[in-house]
Amino acid sequence: MDTCRTPANASKCSGNTMECFMVLSTQAQKISIGILCGLFGTMCVFENSLVLYLIFSSPGIRKKPSYLFIGSLALADILASIIFVCSFVNFHVFNEAGFSKEVFLLQLGGVNTSFSASLSSLLLTALDRYISISRPSEYKLLMTRKRAWTALAVLWVTCATIACLPLLGWNCCVLDSACSELFPFVDDNYLSGWICFVVVLLGCIVYAYAHVLWRARQHVAYMEKHQAQAGKQNTRMRMDVMLAKTLVMVLAVLMLCWSPVLGLMIYSIFGRLSDHLRKVFAFCSTLCLLNSMVNPIIYALRSKELFSSLRRVFSHFRRQLKAAEESPEAESTHKSSVIET
């Protein structure tokens, strides 16, 4: 078993072993975590898979950069749910600590990559809305599909690189530095850097949406004043305002779900966490899954294009189901008539 410098609050542990971070002490706590992860994770994978299907099964939708970014967000949430649930439940519920430091850091890197990519995809979506509303006449020239795919490639490579730094050597075992109180083998300085990265992303998103909301209010006032003359331009503005409001709702949910986790991470750097707070952190971590689960619901309720595509899929499914139910009856009727003849 790999050992490193003991966390400041882990006085009961003989070293920085995996058991020091298994904070769920009762069976009720483990069952609760297992149920939350199972429920949120399953719903998240199903909903985001449906979003991906709706986007890439519709030629008109998948050509738009806005929905490429939303597809990236859905993909990141799917990966985050699968990796997070498997590793989190295996560690905290089943108390599996037989894997090596490298395997654990690889799992942690996968979780960090997915959640970072989720947040970064939301930033790209915010920037897309920013350009669409602030420079509508130049939007199609500035935001092309090629540039959208390039931005997504840079996004995923950057997130993966940052998340894999502990595996590549920036960990407290290799550096013989102070370890985090929340994550095994993670260096406090790396955790501080990752938190700064997330805070910068959130700050950029908030700035972009502040401008989007300001321009959206101008668009609403313009539509009310020139309702008769605007025509198609009003329709496009209304869609931009609707999508902007949708993504603001996504951002609000993101902040609500991530604030407790980030707050405890920051507190762990500057102070000492009690066992109770470490248990609270374990439960708050499941809020990240809740965020990934709620995002597709907001898309379905707010995006008319995705909602229309969803209705077409359900209508097609109902027709196929009805045809399958009627087919045996028709075949039975045909056989009966043959016998009677």
Side-chain angles (χ1 to χ4, degrees):
M1 176 65 66
D2 294 289
T3 59
C4 318
R5 185 176 299 181
T6 306
N9 70 330
S11 58
K12 297 180 181 179
C13 300
S14 57
N16 187 22
T17 60
M18 305 291 281
E19 288 79 5
C20 298
F21 298 87
M22 297 175 180
V23 296
L24 302 182
S25 55
T26 66
Q27 195 67 20
Q29 293 173 352
K30 295 180 180 181
I31 293 175
S32 299
I33 284 289
I35 292 175
L36 290 175
C37 288
L39 177 62
F40 293 163
T42 302
M43 292 298 296
C44 179
V45 171
F46 171 75
E47 292 171 0
N48 284 285
S49 298
L50 181 60
V51 169
L52 284 178
Y53 174 77
L54 294 176
I55 291 174
F56 290 99
S57 64
S58 175
I61 292 178
R62 69 168 177 260
K63 291 180 180 179
K64 298 181 179 181
S66 301
Y67 289 102
L68 290 179
F69 299 146
I70 292 176
S72 174
L73 177 61
L75 176 61
D77 286 338
I78 291 174
L79 295 177
S81 300
I82 295 175
I83 302 173
F84 177 84
V85 169
C86 292
S87 58
F88 195 78
V89 171
N90 191 44
F91 186 81
H92 284 290
V93 177
F94 298 107
N95 297 137
E96 179 60 44
F99 39 79
S100 64
K101 174 191 68 177
E102 288 74 18
V103 173
F104 177 84
L105 291 178
L106 180 62
Q107 293 177 350
L108 184 63
V111 173
N112 286 346
T113 298
S114 303
F115 280 127
S116 299
S118 177
L119 186 59
S120 300
S121 298
L122 189 57
L123 173 60
L124 288 183
T125 310
L127 294 177
D128 174 74
R129 289 300 88 200
Y130 177 90
I131 296 174
S132 175
I133 289 182
S134 62
R135 306 175 71 176
S137 60
E138 304 175 31
Y139 173 76
K140 290 186 178 180
L141 295 176
L142 295 174
M143 189 58 67
T144 62
R145 294 183 74 248
K146 181 178 180 181
R147 290 181 177 178
W149 281 112
T150 301
L152 289 175
V154 172
L155 178 158
W156 280 91
V157 170
T158 301
C159 291
T161 301
I162 294 175
C164 289
L165 288 177
L167 182 63
L168 297 176
W170 192 355
N171 59 74
C172 55
C173 295
V174 173
L175 301 177
D176 192 26
S177 56
C179 296
S180 168
E181 298 180 9
L182 295 173
F183 305 101
F185 314 121
V186 173
D187 179 71
D188 261 342
N189 292 326
Y190 170 80
L191 183 60
S192 301
W194 188 82
I195 292 173
C196 291
F197 172 66
V198 172
V199 170
V200 169
L201 289 179
L202 289 175
C204 293
I205 294 173
V206 170
Y207 174 80
Y209 277 123
H211 186 83
V212 165
L213 288 178
W214 175 65
R215 293 302 296 265
R217 293 187 62 182
Q218 289 184 326
H219 282 193
V220 171
Y222 178 85
M223 286 186 290
E224 292 176 350
K225 187 176 180 180
H226 302 86
Q227 188 68 37
Q229 296 89 349
K232 293 183 179 180
Q233 185 179 4
N234 274 348
T235 302
R236 180 177 178 181
M237 287 181 179
R238 190 176 293 108
M239 292 177 61
D240 286 341
V241 171
M242 178 66 72
L243 189 51
K245 291 180 179 179
T246 297
L247 298 174
V248 168
M249 291 175 61
V250 174
L251 179 60
V253 173
L254 180 76
M255 296 294 292
L256 180 65
C257 293
W258 275 84
S259 293
V261 173
L262 289 176
L264 288 173
M265 285 184 183
I266 295 173
Y267 184 80
S268 71
I269 295 174
F270 298 100
R272 300 178 63 177
L273 292 177
S274 63
D275 290 340
H276 175 70
L277 285 178
R278 296 171 78 196
K279 292 178 183 179
V280 170
F281 178 79
F283 278 92
C284 287
S285 298
T286 61
L287 291 176
C288 301
L289 284 178
L290 178 62
N291 171 71
S292 299
M293 185 186 74
V294 169
N295 284 344
I297 298 176
I298 299 177
Y299 302 149
L301 292 177
R302 302 289 296 181
S303 173
K304 291 184 178 181
E305 291 177 295
L306 282 181
F307 187 72
S308 298
S309 180
L310 180 62
R311 290 181 61 182
R312 287 195 298 269
V313 170
F314 280 146
S315 298
H316 180 69
F317 177 75
R318 279 200 304 267
R319 287 195 298 268
Q320 285 188 331
L321 187 62
K322 186 176 180 180
E325 290 176 350
E326 293 177 350
S327 180
E329 296 177 0
E331 183 178 355
S332 177
T333 302
H334 176 71
K335 288 182 178 179
S336 299
S337 63
V338 171
I339 293 173
E340 290 173 0
T341 302

Tab-separated table of all heavy atoms in Angstrom, residues 73-92:
chain	number	residue	atom	x	y	z
A	73	LEU	N	-21.715	18.823	-23.481
A	73	LEU	CA	-22.125	18.853	-22.078
A	73	LEU	C	-22.798	17.547	-21.676
A	73	LEU	O	-22.522	16.987	-20.605
A	73	LEU	CB	-23.065	20.035	-21.850
A	73	LEU	CG	-23.660	20.206	-20.449
A	73	LEU	CD1	-22.568	20.425	-19.411
A	73	LEU	CD2	-24.651	21.368	-20.425
A	74	ALA	N	-23.675	17.031	-22.535
A	74	ALA	CA	-24.360	15.774	-22.242
A	74	ALA	C	-23.369	14.609	-22.190
A	74	ALA	O	-23.452	13.741	-21.306
A	74	ALA	CB	-25.441	15.510	-23.295
A	75	LEU	N	-22.417	14.576	-23.124
A	75	LEU	CA	-21.414	13.514	-23.123
A	75	LEU	C	-20.560	13.564	-21.867
A	75	LEU	O	-20.279	12.527	-21.243
A	75	LEU	CB	-20.522	13.655	-24.368
A	75	LEU	CG	-19.356	12.669	-24.470
A	75	LEU	CD1	-19.864	11.229	-24.529
A	75	LEU	CD2	-18.498	12.979	-25.692
A	76	ALA	N	-20.142	14.771	-21.469
A	76	ALA	CA	-19.342	14.916	-20.252
A	76	ALA	C	-20.122	14.449	-19.026
A	76	ALA	O	-19.568	13.788	-18.138
A	76	ALA	CB	-18.915	16.374	-20.088
A	77	ASP	N	-21.415	14.764	-18.972
A	77	ASP	CA	-22.237	14.350	-17.832
A	77	ASP	C	-22.411	12.830	-17.795
A	77	ASP	O	-22.459	12.230	-16.720
A	77	ASP	CB	-23.597	15.036	-17.887
A	77	ASP	CG	-23.519	16.501	-17.502
A	77	ASP	OD1	-22.559	16.877	-16.807
A	77	ASP	OD2	-24.420	17.281	-17.887
A	78	ILE	N	-22.522	12.197	-18.960
A	78	ILE	CA	-22.625	10.739	-19.006
A	78	ILE	C	-21.355	10.095	-18.461
A	78	ILE	O	-21.401	9.196	-17.609
A	78	ILE	CB	-22.897	10.261	-20.448
A	78	ILE	CG1	-24.303	10.658	-20.887
A	78	ILE	CG2	-22.736	8.745	-20.539
A	78	ILE	CD1	-24.586	10.351	-22.347
A	79	LEU	N	-20.207	10.550	-18.961
A	79	LEU	CA	-18.931	9.996	-18.501
A	79	LEU	C	-18.724	10.252	-17.012
A	79	LEU	O	-18.267	9.368	-16.274
A	79	LEU	CB	-17.778	10.601	-19.311
A	79	LEU	CG	-17.751	10.261	-20.806
A	79	LEU	CD1	-16.605	10.979	-21.492
A	79	LEU	CD2	-17.629	8.756	-20.996
A	80	ALA	N	-19.067	11.463	-16.571
A	80	ALA	CA	-18.905	11.791	-15.158
A	80	ALA	C	-19.775	10.888	-14.293
A	80	ALA	O	-19.330	10.406	-13.233
A	80	ALA	CB	-19.263	13.258	-14.918
A	81	SER	N	-20.989	10.637	-14.723
A	81	SER	CA	-21.898	9.804	-13.940
A	81	SER	C	-21.384	8.378	-13.819
A	81	SER	O	-21.363	7.799	-12.731
A	81	SER	CB	-23.291	9.799	-14.580
A	81	SER	OG	-23.817	11.097	-14.645
A	82	ILE	N	-20.958	7.810	-14.943
A	82	ILE	CA	-20.489	6.422	-14.930
A	82	ILE	C	-19.233	6.271	-14.084
A	82	ILE	O	-19.148	5.409	-13.195
A	82	ILE	CB	-20.237	5.941	-16.367
A	82	ILE	CG1	-21.555	5.900	-17.150
A	82	ILE	CG2	-19.585	4.568	-16.355
A	82	ILE	CD1	-21.387	5.561	-18.616
A	83	ILE	N	-18.235	7.118	-14.340
A	83	ILE	CA	-16.965	6.999	-13.624
A	83	ILE	C	-17.136	7.345	-12.147
A	83	ILE	O	-16.623	6.650	-11.261
A	83	ILE	CB	-15.887	7.898	-14.265
A	83	ILE	CG1	-15.693	7.524	-15.730
A	83	ILE	CG2	-14.562	7.769	-13.515
A	83	ILE	CD1	-14.773	8.465	-16.483
A	84	PHE	N	-17.882	8.429	-11.879
A	84	PHE	CA	-18.059	8.864	-10.496
A	84	PHE	C	-18.812	7.827	-9.678
A	84	PHE	O	-18.393	7.462	-8.568
A	84	PHE	CB	-18.807	10.196	-10.463
A	84	PHE	CG	-19.112	10.694	-9.076
A	84	PHE	CD1	-18.158	11.414	-8.359
A	84	PHE	CD2	-20.331	10.439	-8.474
A	84	PHE	CE1	-18.427	11.864	-7.077
A	84	PHE	CE2	-20.610	10.889	-7.197
A	84	PHE	CZ	-19.657	11.603	-6.496
A	85	VAL	N	-19.928	7.335	-10.193
A	85	VAL	CA	-20.733	6.375	-9.440
A	85	VAL	C	-19.951	5.092	-9.169
A	85	VAL	O	-19.933	4.589	-8.036
A	85	VAL	CB	-22.048	6.060	-10.197
A	85	VAL	CG1	-22.758	4.874	-9.574
A	85	VAL	CG2	-22.965	7.276	-10.189
A	86	CYS	N	-19.291	4.562	-10.187
A	86	CYS	CA	-18.542	3.311	-10.016
A	86	CYS	C	-17.430	3.461	-8.986
A	86	CYS	O	-17.292	2.630	-8.077
A	86	CYS	CB	-17.972	2.854	-11.353
A	86	CYS	SG	-19.224	2.329	-12.547
A	87	SER	N	-16.620	4.514	-9.113
A	87	SER	CA	-15.490	4.695	-8.204
A	87	SER	C	-15.946	5.125	-6.813
A	87	SER	O	-15.424	4.644	-5.795
A	87	SER	CB	-14.511	5.723	-8.774
A	87	SER	OG	-15.156	6.973	-8.993
A	88	PHE	N	-16.951	6.014	-6.738
A	88	PHE	CA	-17.406	6.545	-5.454
A	88	PHE	C	-18.079	5.463	-4.614
A	88	PHE	O	-17.802	5.312	-3.418
A	88	PHE	CB	-18.376	7.708	-5.703
A	88	PHE	CG	-18.632	8.574	-4.494
A	88	PHE	CD1	-17.705	9.518	-4.094
A	88	PHE	CD2	-19.799	8.437	-3.758
A	88	PHE	CE1	-17.942	10.325	-2.986
A	88	PHE	CE2	-20.035	9.238	-2.661
A	88	PHE	CZ	-19.109	10.182	-2.269
A	89	VAL	N	-18.980	4.694	-5.229
A	89	VAL	CA	-19.670	3.618	-4.504
A	89	VAL	C	-18.683	2.522	-4.125
A	89	VAL	O	-18.723	1.982	-3.008
A	89	VAL	CB	-20.821	3.055	-5.357
A	89	VAL	CG1	-21.402	1.799	-4.726
A	89	VAL	CG2	-21.915	4.106	-5.528
A	90	ASN	N	-17.798	2.183	-5.033
A	90	ASN	CA	-16.807	1.150	-4.749
A	90	ASN	C	-15.925	1.529	-3.568
A	90	ASN	O	-15.565	0.679	-2.743
A	90	ASN	CB	-15.944	0.910	-5.988
A	90	ASN	CG	-15.065	-0.320	-5.854
A	90	ASN	OD1	-15.515	-1.368	-5.399
A	90	ASN	ND2	-13.820	-0.206	-6.267
A	91	PHE	N	-15.607	2.824	-3.458
A	91	PHE	CA	-14.706	3.287	-2.399
A	91	PHE	C	-15.443	3.479	-1.072
A	91	PHE	O	-15.034	2.960	-0.030
A	91	PHE	CB	-14.041	4.596	-2.829
A	91	PHE	CG	-12.992	5.098	-1.873
A	91	PHE	CD1	-11.715	4.583	-1.899
A	91	PHE	CD2	-13.288	6.090	-0.948
A	91	PHE	CE1	-10.740	5.043	-1.019
A	91	PHE	CE2	-12.325	6.551	-0.073
A	91	PHE	CZ	-11.053	6.028	-0.107
A	92	HIS	N	-16.538	4.240	-1.092
A	92	HIS	CA	-17.196	4.625	0.153
A	92	HIS	C	-18.212	3.597	0.664
A	92	HIS	O	-18.438	3.517	1.876
A	92	HIS	CB	-17.896	5.977	-0.016
A	92	HIS	CG	-16.967	7.145	0.001
A	92	HIS	ND1	-16.313	7.560	1.150
A	92	HIS	CD2	-16.564	7.989	-0.976
A	92	HIS	CE1	-15.565	8.616	0.878
A	92	HIS	NE2	-15.690	8.894	-0.404
